[in-house]
Amino acid sequence: MKLFTVLFDRVMLWSAHRRAPAYLAGLSFAESSFFPIPPDVMLAPMALAKPERAWHLALLTTIASVLGGMLGYLIGMFAFEMIEPLLHSAGYWEKYLQTRAWFDEWGIWVIFIAGFSPIPYKVFTITAGVVSMVFIPFVIASAIGRGARFFMVAGLMRWGGPTMHHTLRQYIDRLGWLVILAVIAAYFVLNNG
């Protein structure tokens, strides 16, 4: 069954669309404050489809993500009571508590590594607002941390170029099914452990 190959081909087609950069910016902004899908799922195929634009796309993603992080910060600072039930219902409460403990222990340094954490970035931005982190250092750390992640993703796609595109397409179905099996196995291990 070539389910993931069909999806891969469709994503590659979408990534070349003339409005794709605007959608990438919108997704990057939203993910940093409230949306669950990380921008890497658009950035990687877009950088793969147009490697000559990879650095531009990484910069666009970083700027939009930092702006979205500022909104997340404001949500945490001024509207936390309103969104707290959403953190519970979306399954982010434990992650919020973990992030809060990290802020207490490491302060601003948490934002630098947040771009590479398995905890969604929006949890970090909202928590930064809740703990009233100093705003300008928060923005600078966000730009550095998020930029490092997005430039790395874009760089890998640019470096891989057509060879990576061919290799990914060739193995995408095996990789896709392996990821699904890993998620199912992790679910059973975590819920039965």
Side-chain angles (χ1 to χ4, degrees):
M1 182 177 217
K2 297 284 188 180
L3 171 71
F4 294 100
T5 301
V6 171
L7 288 173
F8 179 82
D9 290 341
R10 181 157 300 165
V11 166
M12 291 306 294
L13 183 66
W14 289 341
S15 69
H17 189 275
R18 66 183 176 87
R19 294 191 189 264
Y23 298 144
L24 175 63
L27 175 62
S28 301
F29 179 88
E31 184 269 340
S32 294
S33 51
F34 60 87
F35 197 65
I37 299 174
D40 308 68
V41 299
M42 279 189 74
L43 174 60
M46 287 176 69
L48 194 57
K50 295 186 177 182
E52 71 282 359
R53 305 237 333 129
W55 303 132
H56 170 79
L57 295 169
L59 180 62
L60 174 68
T61 306
T62 301
I63 291 169
S65 181
V66 171
L67 291 172
M70 293 170 158
L71 176 61
Y73 182 97
L74 295 173
I75 290 169
M77 181 169 269
F78 297 113
F80 184 74
E81 295 77 25
M82 193 167 64
I83 64 139
E84 184 177 347
L86 294 172
L87 291 175
H88 286 283
S89 65
Y92 289 134
W93 186 251
E94 293 300 320
K95 292 174 179 154
Y96 163 74
L97 294 175
Q98 178 65 56
T99 302
R100 181 123 190 203
W102 288 346
F103 271 104
D104 290 342
E105 189 171 344
W106 295 308
I108 189 75
W109 296 106
V110 171
I111 296 297
F112 285 106
I113 62 165
F116 297 94
S117 168
I119 296 174
Y121 188 62
K122 69 187 130 295
V123 175
F124 288 92
T125 65
I126 291 168
T127 306
V130 170
V131 301
S132 298
M133 176 177 278
V134 180
F135 188 69
I136 297 301
F138 163 77
V139 172
I140 293 169
S142 291
I144 294 169
R146 293 300 266 180
R149 172 180 171 164
F150 298 137
F151 275 89
M152 182 184 74
V153 168
L156 286 172
M157 296 302 110
R158 181 181 166 96
W159 172 71
T163 303
M164 182 174 283
H165 179 270
H166 175 73
T167 304
L168 275 175
R169 190 175 188 287
Q170 183 179 356
Y171 293 105
I172 195 71
D173 281 296
R174 292 179 199 155
L175 291 170
W177 291 114
L178 281 172
V179 168
I180 288 176
L181 289 174
V183 167
I184 291 170
Y187 173 81
F188 283 111
V189 168
L190 293 172
N191 286 319
N192 295 320

